[in-house]
Amino acid sequence: MGIRQAVKATLSFPDELVRDPLYPRLKEHVVGSTGLAYYEDKDADLALRIGRRLSCLGLRDCSSYLHVLCDPLSGPSELEALIAEVTIGETCFFRHREHFDALRDLIIPQLIARNRESRCLRIWCAGCADGPEPYSLAILLKREMADQLRGWRVTILGTDINRLSLARARQGSFERWAFRSTPADVLGNCFLREGERWSILPEYREGVSFQYHNLVEHPFPSLMNNLFAFDLIVCRNVMIYLGPDRMRKTIVQFRDCLAEDGWLLVGPAEPNMTFFTSFRTVMAPGVTLYQK
């Protein structure tokens, strides 16, 4: 096959998948397994991403790919590979600075006052991608609230559906683009430059851990998976990819995972306040916050 023919075949492959009689069933399987209702009206984008996996496996149609996904032996590992293709992991350090201002000025001081006896602080970053968000929280707490938290046990848990993203998060090494919202002094004092990448210093890794978790398929709250009694849950720009029913259920589950008076931070583009009627709404400069 010549170069032009190969390019043309590659470009037409997603269209072929969408026309496949079993594409709706495959799409339902993907959305049901991931909760990514974002793709319900984006067939071309989803088919392009699925097509990459079919090309890797040497497959050409939805039937053969469904057979792989539904196989008890090959299915779980292939679903993970597909999740790596379909998840949108766009993030950066100190994204939406207003949230970090609210954490520093309002939320963390309240939590410190409330937890003064236990001297423990538990934070969950759900949908953490490759780690900038939990590490940003660690930097904020270490640099700006070190005196108040001296002697405390502070844990920050990052979870995600994408195992490849979690592996990168554990490495703690990032390209320059991840720091587009980061103050220069933070980059210079909290990271070590290694060629074209920057690695977070060990003191800002303390208390930060990562684990695999699927908000759609895995239970929470969960004592077994250490998903309970959080003082703060941060889940930003994740629920915008879920359908309304799944959003409502997830928000209820987050509330059940919070300690009394705990806080939930969501992205500025997340669902409107009618989804959060079981929370107390708190307005801060530039952001809306939710407290149990």
Side-chain angles (χ1 to χ4, degrees):
M1 179 184 293
I3 294 177
R4 289 185 179 179
Q5 290 175 304
V7 171
K8 184 177 180 181
T10 301
L11 293 174
S12 65
F13 192 27
D15 295 333
E16 293 175 18
L17 286 181
V18 173
R19 291 194 299 268
D20 189 308
L22 287 180
Y23 175 77
R25 183 179 163 192
L26 175 57
K27 176 181 174 179
E28 181 182 8
H29 182 85
V30 174
V31 173
S33 299
T34 63
L36 294 174
Y38 165 84
Y39 286 112
E40 287 182 346
D41 61 352
K42 294 177 176 61
D43 285 329
D45 191 9
L46 179 59
L48 179 64
R49 294 167 185 262
I50 291 175
R52 293 175 188 152
R53 290 305 310 153
L54 267 67
S55 296
C56 288
L57 298 173
L59 305 175
R60 290 292 303 179
D61 57 52
C62 295
S63 175
S64 56
Y65 193 48
L66 273 167
H67 181 75
V68 173
L69 287 173
C70 294
D71 184 274
L73 296 179
S74 63
S77 60
E78 178 52 34
L79 180 60
E80 288 182 13
L82 179 59
I83 284 171
E85 285 286 355
V86 301
T87 48
I88 296 99
E90 171 63 19
T91 187
C92 63
F93 281 85
F94 295 96
R95 187 179 186 185
H96 305 307
R97 186 71 211 196
E98 296 86 353
H99 273 152
F100 291 91
D101 292 340
L103 284 164
R104 181 195 62 223
D105 299 336
L106 174 63
I107 294 176
I108 301 301
Q110 281 198 14
L111 293 176
I112 289 173
R114 190 198 70 184
N115 294 0
R116 199 169 298 281
E117 287 190 14
S118 67
R119 298 172 72 82
C120 290
L121 187 62
R122 284 172 49 80
I123 300 173
W124 177 19
C125 294
C128 70
D130 55 356
E133 184 172 80
Y135 287 133
S136 294
L137 287 167
I139 291 170
L140 173 72
L141 296 177
K142 292 268 187 179
R143 282 172 58 88
E144 303 199 36
M145 319 207 79
D147 290 341
Q148 300 97 306
L149 292 172
R150 186 168 288 110
W152 283 53
R153 183 173 184 269
V154 179
T155 59
I156 303 172
L157 174 65
T159 66
D160 203 88
I161 192 175
N162 189 328
R163 291 187 188 273
L164 292 177
S165 292
L166 289 171
R168 291 193 293 268
R170 293 186 184 100
Q171 290 174 352
S173 176
F174 302 90
E175 296 180 346
R176 185 67 179 84
W177 180 242
F179 303 101
R180 58 191 180 274
S181 298
T182 305
D185 66 307
V186 172
L187 180 58
N189 294 320
C190 301
F191 295 85
L192 175 66
R193 183 169 184 175
E194 298 174 326
E196 296 301 314
R197 303 184 68 86
W198 282 259
S199 294
I200 189 163
L201 295 178
E203 55 262 42
Y204 301 107
R205 292 173 176 263
E206 293 176 4
V208 180
S209 63
F210 298 93
Q211 75 182 42
Y212 175 73
H213 185 257
N214 184 331
L215 290 171
V216 172
E217 294 199 329
H218 298 158
F220 64 103
S222 170
L223 289 173
M224 181 180 298
N225 294 317
N226 196 33
L227 298 175
F228 68 97
F230 290 102
D231 300 296
L232 168 66
I233 296 175
V234 181
C235 184
R236 303 187 302 165
N237 307 304
V238 174
M239 290 187 288
I240 54 174
Y241 299 107
L242 309 179
D245 291 341
R246 174 54 60 180
M247 291 178 192
R248 291 187 181 92
K249 181 177 180 180
T250 300
I251 290 166
V252 170
Q253 289 175 282
F254 280 147
R255 185 183 185 279
D256 292 342
C257 286
L258 284 169
E260 205 59 38
D261 297 323
W263 293 84
L264 174 64
L265 265 68
V266 300
E270 305 288 359
N272 62 44
M273 285 183 279
T274 61
F275 285 79
F276 299 90
T277 53
S278 61
F279 287 84
R280 182 169 72 95
T281 302
V282 178
M283 306 304 294
V287 293
T288 302
L289 313 170
Y290 301 100
Q291 186 177 28
K292 181 172 178 178

mmCIF file of all heavy atoms in Angstrom, residues 8-43:
data_model
loop_
_atom_site.group_PDB
_atom_site.id
_atom_site.type_symbol
_atom_site.label_atom_id
_atom_site.label_comp_id
_atom_site.label_asym_id
_atom_site.label_seq_id
_atom_site.Cartn_x
_atom_site.Cartn_y
_atom_site.Cartn_z
ATOM 1 N N LYS A 8 -5.139 7.589 3.716
ATOM 2 C CA LYS A 8 -6.576 7.595 3.474
ATOM 3 C C LYS A 8 -7.271 6.512 4.286
ATOM 4 O O LYS A 8 -8.335 6.733 4.864
ATOM 5 C CB LYS A 8 -6.841 7.393 1.983
ATOM 6 C CG LYS A 8 -8.322 7.489 1.621
ATOM 7 C CD LYS A 8 -8.524 7.365 0.122
ATOM 8 C CE LYS A 8 -10.003 7.471 -0.232
ATOM 9 N NZ LYS A 8 -10.225 7.337 -1.687
ATOM 10 N N ALA A 9 -6.655 5.326 4.378
ATOM 11 C CA ALA A 9 -7.240 4.234 5.144
ATOM 12 C C ALA A 9 -7.316 4.590 6.622
ATOM 13 O O ALA A 9 -8.303 4.314 7.307
ATOM 14 C CB ALA A 9 -6.428 2.958 4.956
ATOM 15 N N THR A 10 -6.256 5.225 7.130
ATOM 16 C CA THR A 10 -6.240 5.617 8.541
ATOM 17 C C THR A 10 -7.344 6.623 8.842
ATOM 18 O O THR A 10 -8.033 6.538 9.856
ATOM 19 C CB THR A 10 -4.871 6.227 8.906
ATOM 20 O OG1 THR A 10 -3.860 5.254 8.653
ATOM 21 C CG2 THR A 10 -4.828 6.626 10.375
ATOM 22 N N LEU A 11 -7.517 7.597 7.938
ATOM 23 C CA LEU A 11 -8.511 8.625 8.154
ATOM 24 C C LEU A 11 -9.922 8.074 8.079
ATOM 25 O O LEU A 11 -10.821 8.559 8.760
ATOM 26 C CB LEU A 11 -8.333 9.754 7.123
ATOM 27 C CG LEU A 11 -7.044 10.582 7.262
ATOM 28 C CD1 LEU A 11 -6.927 11.565 6.102
ATOM 29 C CD2 LEU A 11 -7.024 11.331 8.585
ATOM 30 N N SER A 12 -10.167 7.065 7.257
ATOM 31 C CA SER A 12 -11.516 6.538 7.080
ATOM 32 C C SER A 12 -11.882 5.509 8.135
ATOM 33 O O SER A 12 -13.053 5.181 8.308
ATOM 34 C CB SER A 12 -11.663 5.918 5.681
ATOM 35 O OG SER A 12 -10.809 4.778 5.556
ATOM 36 N N PHE A 13 -10.894 4.982 8.873
ATOM 37 C CA PHE A 13 -11.141 3.912 9.822
ATOM 38 C C PHE A 13 -12.172 4.301 10.884
ATOM 39 O O PHE A 13 -13.100 3.535 11.160
ATOM 40 C CB PHE A 13 -9.822 3.467 10.454
ATOM 41 C CG PHE A 13 -9.918 2.187 11.240
ATOM 42 C CD1 PHE A 13 -10.868 1.225 10.947
ATOM 43 C CD2 PHE A 13 -9.056 1.958 12.292
ATOM 44 C CE1 PHE A 13 -10.955 0.048 11.661
ATOM 45 C CE2 PHE A 13 -9.122 0.787 13.016
ATOM 46 C CZ PHE A 13 -10.082 -0.173 12.713
ATOM 47 N N PRO A 14 -12.090 5.492 11.523
ATOM 48 C CA PRO A 14 -13.121 5.866 12.494
ATOM 49 C C PRO A 14 -14.520 5.882 11.895
ATOM 50 O O PRO A 14 -15.488 5.481 12.551
ATOM 51 C CB PRO A 14 -12.679 7.262 12.960
ATOM 52 C CG PRO A 14 -11.203 7.283 12.727
ATOM 53 C CD PRO A 14 -11.000 6.476 11.473
ATOM 54 N N ASP A 15 -14.643 6.365 10.659
ATOM 55 C CA ASP A 15 -15.952 6.376 10.010
ATOM 56 C C ASP A 15 -16.482 4.961 9.823
ATOM 57 O O ASP A 15 -17.679 4.696 9.995
ATOM 58 C CB ASP A 15 -15.865 7.079 8.652
ATOM 59 C CG ASP A 15 -15.528 8.562 8.791
ATOM 60 O OD1 ASP A 15 -15.864 9.127 9.844
ATOM 61 O OD2 ASP A 15 -14.937 9.122 7.863
ATOM 62 N N GLU A 16 -15.587 4.038 9.488
ATOM 63 C CA GLU A 16 -15.995 2.641 9.342
ATOM 64 C C GLU A 16 -16.498 2.079 10.665
ATOM 65 O O GLU A 16 -17.484 1.339 10.714
ATOM 66 C CB GLU A 16 -14.816 1.797 8.847
ATOM 67 C CG GLU A 16 -14.364 2.108 7.430
ATOM 68 C CD GLU A 16 -13.126 1.312 7.051
ATOM 69 O OE1 GLU A 16 -12.838 0.303 7.731
ATOM 70 O OE2 GLU A 16 -12.440 1.709 6.100
ATOM 71 N N LEU A 17 -15.825 2.431 11.756
ATOM 72 C CA LEU A 17 -16.248 1.937 13.064
ATOM 73 C C LEU A 17 -17.636 2.451 13.428
ATOM 74 O O LEU A 17 -18.476 1.704 13.926
ATOM 75 C CB LEU A 17 -15.242 2.360 14.138
ATOM 76 C CG LEU A 17 -13.910 1.627 14.176
ATOM 77 C CD1 LEU A 17 -13.056 2.172 15.313
ATOM 78 C CD2 LEU A 17 -14.114 0.125 14.361
ATOM 79 N N VAL A 18 -17.888 3.739 13.192
ATOM 80 C CA VAL A 18 -19.189 4.325 13.533
ATOM 81 C C VAL A 18 -20.308 3.661 12.733
ATOM 82 O O VAL A 18 -21.431 3.495 13.231
ATOM 83 C CB VAL A 18 -19.169 5.847 13.303
ATOM 84 C CG1 VAL A 18 -20.558 6.450 13.494
ATOM 85 C CG2 VAL A 18 -18.177 6.509 14.262
ATOM 86 N N ARG A 19 -20.021 3.262 11.505
ATOM 87 C CA ARG A 19 -21.041 2.606 10.667
ATOM 88 C C ARG A 19 -21.196 1.126 10.997
ATOM 89 O O ARG A 19 -22.147 0.481 10.548
ATOM 90 C CB ARG A 19 -20.673 2.763 9.184
ATOM 91 C CG ARG A 19 -20.796 4.201 8.677
ATOM 92 C CD ARG A 19 -20.764 4.228 7.153
ATOM 93 N NE ARG A 19 -19.513 3.695 6.629
ATOM 94 C CZ ARG A 19 -18.440 4.429 6.350
ATOM 95 N NH1 ARG A 19 -18.470 5.738 6.563
ATOM 96 N NH2 ARG A 19 -17.338 3.884 5.861
ATOM 97 N N ASP A 20 -20.284 0.571 11.775
ATOM 98 C CA ASP A 20 -20.353 -0.842 12.150
ATOM 99 C C ASP A 20 -21.630 -1.083 12.960
ATOM 100 O O ASP A 20 -21.929 -0.351 13.901
ATOM 101 C CB ASP A 20 -19.128 -1.198 12.998
ATOM 102 C CG ASP A 20 -18.993 -2.697 13.243
ATOM 103 O OD1 ASP A 20 -19.972 -3.309 13.702
ATOM 104 O OD2 ASP A 20 -17.898 -3.241 12.993
ATOM 105 N N PRO A 21 -22.429 -2.122 12.610
ATOM 106 C CA PRO A 21 -23.690 -2.384 13.337
ATOM 107 C C PRO A 21 -23.497 -2.571 14.846
ATOM 108 O O PRO A 21 -24.416 -2.308 15.629
ATOM 109 C CB PRO A 21 -24.203 -3.676 12.681
ATOM 110 C CG PRO A 21 -23.578 -3.696 11.330
ATOM 111 C CD PRO A 21 -22.232 -3.067 11.492
ATOM 112 N N LEU A 22 -22.317 -3.020 15.266
ATOM 113 C CA LEU A 22 -22.077 -3.252 16.691
ATOM 114 C C LEU A 22 -21.409 -2.070 17.385
ATOM 115 O O LEU A 22 -21.092 -2.156 18.578
ATOM 116 C CB LEU A 22 -21.224 -4.511 16.875
ATOM 117 C CG LEU A 22 -21.942 -5.834 16.630
ATOM 118 C CD1 LEU A 22 -20.995 -7.010 16.855
ATOM 119 C CD2 LEU A 22 -23.159 -5.976 17.542
ATOM 120 N N TYR A 23 -21.217 -0.963 16.670
ATOM 121 C CA TYR A 23 -20.604 0.199 17.309
ATOM 122 C C TYR A 23 -21.424 0.706 18.499
ATOM 123 O O TYR A 23 -20.848 1.010 19.553
ATOM 124 C CB TYR A 23 -20.385 1.322 16.301
ATOM 125 C CG TYR A 23 -19.866 2.592 16.942
ATOM 126 C CD1 TYR A 23 -18.527 2.710 17.311
ATOM 127 C CD2 TYR A 23 -20.730 3.661 17.229
ATOM 128 C CE1 TYR A 23 -18.049 3.859 17.926
ATOM 129 C CE2 TYR A 23 -20.260 4.809 17.842
ATOM 130 C CZ TYR A 23 -18.927 4.902 18.188
ATOM 131 O OH TYR A 23 -18.476 6.035 18.807
ATOM 132 N N PRO A 24 -22.768 0.813 18.381
ATOM 133 C CA PRO A 24 -23.537 1.281 19.553
ATOM 134 C C PRO A 24 -23.322 0.408 20.782
ATOM 135 O O PRO A 24 -23.234 0.921 21.897
ATOM 136 C CB PRO A 24 -24.993 1.214 19.068
ATOM 137 C CG PRO A 24 -24.900 1.356 17.582
ATOM 138 C CD PRO A 24 -23.640 0.619 17.204
ATOM 139 N N ARG A 25 -23.212 -0.899 20.580
ATOM 140 C CA ARG A 25 -22.982 -1.795 21.717
ATOM 141 C C ARG A 25 -21.580 -1.567 22.306
ATOM 142 O O ARG A 25 -21.410 -1.550 23.526
ATOM 143 C CB ARG A 25 -23.137 -3.242 21.280
ATOM 144 C CG ARG A 25 -22.984 -4.238 22.420
ATOM 145 C CD ARG A 25 -23.177 -5.648 21.918
ATOM 146 N NE ARG A 25 -22.658 -6.622 22.870
ATOM 147 C CZ ARG A 25 -22.484 -7.901 22.602
ATOM 148 N NH1 ARG A 25 -22.792 -8.376 21.397
ATOM 149 N NH2 ARG A 25 -22.005 -8.720 23.526
ATOM 150 N N LEU A 26 -20.592 -1.377 21.441
ATOM 151 C CA LEU A 26 -19.227 -1.115 21.916
ATOM 152 C C LEU A 26 -19.179 0.212 22.663
ATOM 153 O O LEU A 26 -18.571 0.317 23.737
ATOM 154 C CB LEU A 26 -18.268 -1.103 20.735
ATOM 155 C CG LEU A 26 -16.805 -0.733 21.031
ATOM 156 C CD1 LEU A 26 -16.209 -1.652 22.084
ATOM 157 C CD2 LEU A 26 -15.971 -0.770 19.745
ATOM 158 N N LYS A 27 -19.808 1.219 22.113
ATOM 159 C CA LYS A 27 -19.853 2.524 22.758
ATOM 160 C C LYS A 27 -20.522 2.434 24.125
ATOM 161 O O LYS A 27 -20.033 3.011 25.111
ATOM 162 C CB LYS A 27 -20.608 3.503 21.854
ATOM 163 C CG LYS A 27 -20.808 4.884 22.437
ATOM 164 C CD LYS A 27 -21.583 5.734 21.429
ATOM 165 C CE LYS A 27 -21.957 7.073 21.996
ATOM 166 N NZ LYS A 27 -22.695 7.904 21.004
ATOM 167 N N GLU A 28 -21.623 1.700 24.209
ATOM 168 C CA GLU A 28 -22.319 1.519 25.486
ATOM 169 C C GLU A 28 -21.411 0.844 26.509
ATOM 170 O O GLU A 28 -21.403 1.202 27.686
ATOM 171 C CB GLU A 28 -23.585 0.688 25.269
ATOM 172 C CG GLU A 28 -24.404 0.459 26.541
ATOM 173 C CD GLU A 28 -25.631 -0.401 26.292
ATOM 174 O OE1 GLU A 28 -25.761 -0.947 25.169
ATOM 175 O OE2 GLU A 28 -26.446 -0.546 27.211
ATOM 176 N N HIS A 29 -20.640 -0.124 26.052
ATOM 177 C CA HIS A 29 -19.712 -0.831 26.942
ATOM 178 C C HIS A 29 -18.640 0.125 27.481
ATOM 179 O O HIS A 29 -18.334 0.114 28.684
ATOM 180 C CB HIS A 29 -19.055 -1.992 26.190
ATOM 181 C CG HIS A 29 -18.123 -2.810 27.025
ATOM 182 N ND1 HIS A 29 -18.555 -3.853 27.813
ATOM 183 C CD2 HIS A 29 -16.781 -2.730 27.214
ATOM 184 C CE1 HIS A 29 -17.518 -4.385 28.449
ATOM 185 N NE2 HIS A 29 -16.427 -3.721 28.092
ATOM 186 N N VAL A 30 -18.100 0.955 26.616
ATOM 187 C CA VAL A 30 -17.044 1.886 27.020
ATOM 188 C C VAL A 30 -17.591 2.917 27.991
ATOM 189 O O VAL A 30 -17.002 3.172 29.056
ATOM 190 C CB VAL A 30 -16.421 2.575 25.784
ATOM 191 C CG1 VAL A 30 -15.433 3.646 26.219
ATOM 192 C CG2 VAL A 30 -15.746 1.552 24.889
ATOM 193 N N VAL A 31 -18.727 3.529 27.649
ATOM 194 C CA VAL A 31 -19.315 4.557 28.510
ATOM 195 C C VAL A 31 -19.748 3.954 29.840
ATOM 196 O O VAL A 31 -19.542 4.548 30.905
ATOM 197 C CB VAL A 31 -20.495 5.246 27.804
ATOM 198 C CG1 VAL A 31 -21.219 6.193 28.762
ATOM 199 C CG2 VAL A 31 -20.014 6.016 26.578
ATOM 200 N N GLY A 32 -20.324 2.749 29.794
ATOM 201 C CA GLY A 32 -20.762 2.104 31.025
ATOM 202 C C GLY A 32 -19.611 1.746 31.945
ATOM 203 O O GLY A 32 -19.733 1.810 33.167
ATOM 204 N N SER A 33 -18.471 1.375 31.374
ATOM 205 C CA SER A 33 -17.315 0.966 32.178
ATOM 206 C C SER A 33 -16.555 2.152 32.753
ATOM 207 O O SER A 33 -15.877 2.022 33.771
ATOM 208 C CB SER A 33 -16.350 0.121 31.332
ATOM 209 O OG SER A 33 -16.976 -1.052 30.871
ATOM 210 N N THR A 34 -16.640 3.305 32.102
ATOM 211 C CA THR A 34 -15.853 4.467 32.515
ATOM 212 C C THR A 34 -16.691 5.616 33.057
ATOM 213 O O THR A 34 -16.165 6.501 33.732
ATOM 214 C CB THR A 34 -15.039 5.008 31.329
ATOM 215 O OG1 THR A 34 -15.951 5.470 30.304
ATOM 216 C CG2 THR A 34 -14.136 3.921 30.741
ATOM 217 N N GLY A 35 -17.981 5.625 32.736
ATOM 218 C CA GLY A 35 -18.832 6.741 33.114
ATOM 219 C C GLY A 35 -18.673 7.959 32.237
ATOM 220 O O GLY A 35 -19.268 9.008 32.497
ATOM 221 N N LEU A 36 -17.880 7.854 31.160
ATOM 222 C CA LEU A 36 -17.570 9.011 30.325
ATOM 223 C C LEU A 36 -18.706 9.305 29.338
ATOM 224 O O LEU A 36 -18.590 9.087 28.127
ATOM 225 C CB LEU A 36 -16.250 8.781 29.589
ATOM 226 C CG LEU A 36 -15.022 8.698 30.492
ATOM 227 C CD1 LEU A 36 -13.780 8.322 29.686
ATOM 228 C CD2 LEU A 36 -14.791 10.027 31.210
ATOM 229 N N ALA A 37 -19.808 9.821 29.869
ATOM 230 C CA ALA A 37 -20.946 10.201 29.032
ATOM 231 C C ALA A 37 -20.579 11.324 28.069
ATOM 232 O O ALA A 37 -21.319 11.612 27.135
ATOM 233 C CB ALA A 37 -22.117 10.624 29.902
ATOM 234 N N TYR A 38 -19.451 11.955 28.300
ATOM 235 C CA TYR A 38 -18.910 12.977 27.407
ATOM 236 C C TYR A 38 -18.902 12.499 25.959
ATOM 237 O O TYR A 38 -19.087 13.284 25.025
ATOM 238 C CB TYR A 38 -17.493 13.300 27.884
ATOM 239 C CG TYR A 38 -16.609 14.067 26.925
ATOM 240 C CD1 TYR A 38 -16.677 15.453 26.846
ATOM 241 C CD2 TYR A 38 -15.680 13.403 26.120
ATOM 242 C CE1 TYR A 38 -15.854 16.160 25.982
ATOM 243 C CE2 TYR A 38 -14.857 14.109 25.259
ATOM 244 C CZ TYR A 38 -14.952 15.484 25.193
ATOM 245 O OH TYR A 38 -14.135 16.171 24.334
ATOM 246 N N TYR A 39 -18.710 11.196 25.754
ATOM 247 C CA TYR A 39 -18.585 10.657 24.393
ATOM 248 C C TYR A 39 -19.927 10.279 23.766
ATOM 249 O O TYR A 39 -19.953 9.819 22.624
ATOM 250 C CB TYR A 39 -17.689 9.418 24.399
ATOM 251 C CG TYR A 39 -16.218 9.744 24.576
ATOM 252 C CD1 TYR A 39 -15.542 9.396 25.735
ATOM 253 C CD2 TYR A 39 -15.500 10.402 23.579
ATOM 254 C CE1 TYR A 39 -14.197 9.691 25.901
ATOM 255 C CE2 TYR A 39 -14.161 10.703 23.734
ATOM 256 C CZ TYR A 39 -13.509 10.341 24.899
ATOM 257 O OH TYR A 39 -12.179 10.635 25.052
ATOM 258 N N GLU A 40 -21.026 10.457 24.474
ATOM 259 C CA GLU A 40 -22.307 10.019 23.932
ATOM 260 C C GLU A 40 -22.678 10.739 22.640
ATOM 261 O O GLU A 40 -23.365 10.179 21.793
ATOM 262 C CB GLU A 40 -23.399 10.182 24.990
ATOM 263 C CG GLU A 40 -23.294 9.131 26.090
ATOM 264 C CD GLU A 40 -24.389 9.241 27.125
ATOM 265 O OE1 GLU A 40 -25.073 10.291 27.147
ATOM 266 O OE2 GLU A 40 -24.547 8.293 27.914
ATOM 267 N N ASP A 41 -22.240 11.977 22.467
ATOM 268 C CA ASP A 41 -22.517 12.716 21.230
ATOM 269 C C ASP A 41 -21.233 13.074 20.477
ATOM 270 O O ASP A 41 -21.200 14.036 19.721
ATOM 271 C CB ASP A 41 -23.325 13.987 21.530
ATOM 272 C CG ASP A 41 -22.586 14.953 22.449
ATOM 273 O OD1 ASP A 41 -21.517 14.571 22.976
ATOM 274 O OD2 ASP A 41 -23.072 16.083 22.632
ATOM 275 N N LYS A 42 -20.189 12.288 20.722
ATOM 276 C CA LYS A 42 -18.893 12.550 20.072
ATOM 277 C C LYS A 42 -18.351 11.260 19.459
ATOM 278 O O LYS A 42 -17.275 10.784 19.802
ATOM 279 C CB LYS A 42 -17.902 13.144 21.085
ATOM 280 C CG LYS A 42 -18.295 14.528 21.584
ATOM 281 C CD LYS A 42 -17.337 15.039 22.631
ATOM 282 C CE LYS A 42 -17.686 16.472 23.040
ATOM 283 N NZ LYS A 42 -19.048 16.567 23.616
ATOM 284 N N ASP A 43 -19.116 10.715 18.532
ATOM 285 C CA ASP A 43 -18.758 9.433 17.923
ATOM 286 C C ASP A 43 -17.428 9.485 17.189
ATOM 287 O O ASP A 43 -16.634 8.546 17.259
ATOM 288 C CB ASP A 43 -19.863 8.970 16.969
ATOM 289 C CG ASP A 43 -21.074 8.436 17.711
ATOM 290 O OD1 ASP A 43 -20.892 7.877 18.813
ATOM 291 O OD2 ASP A 43 -22.195 8.576 17.192
#
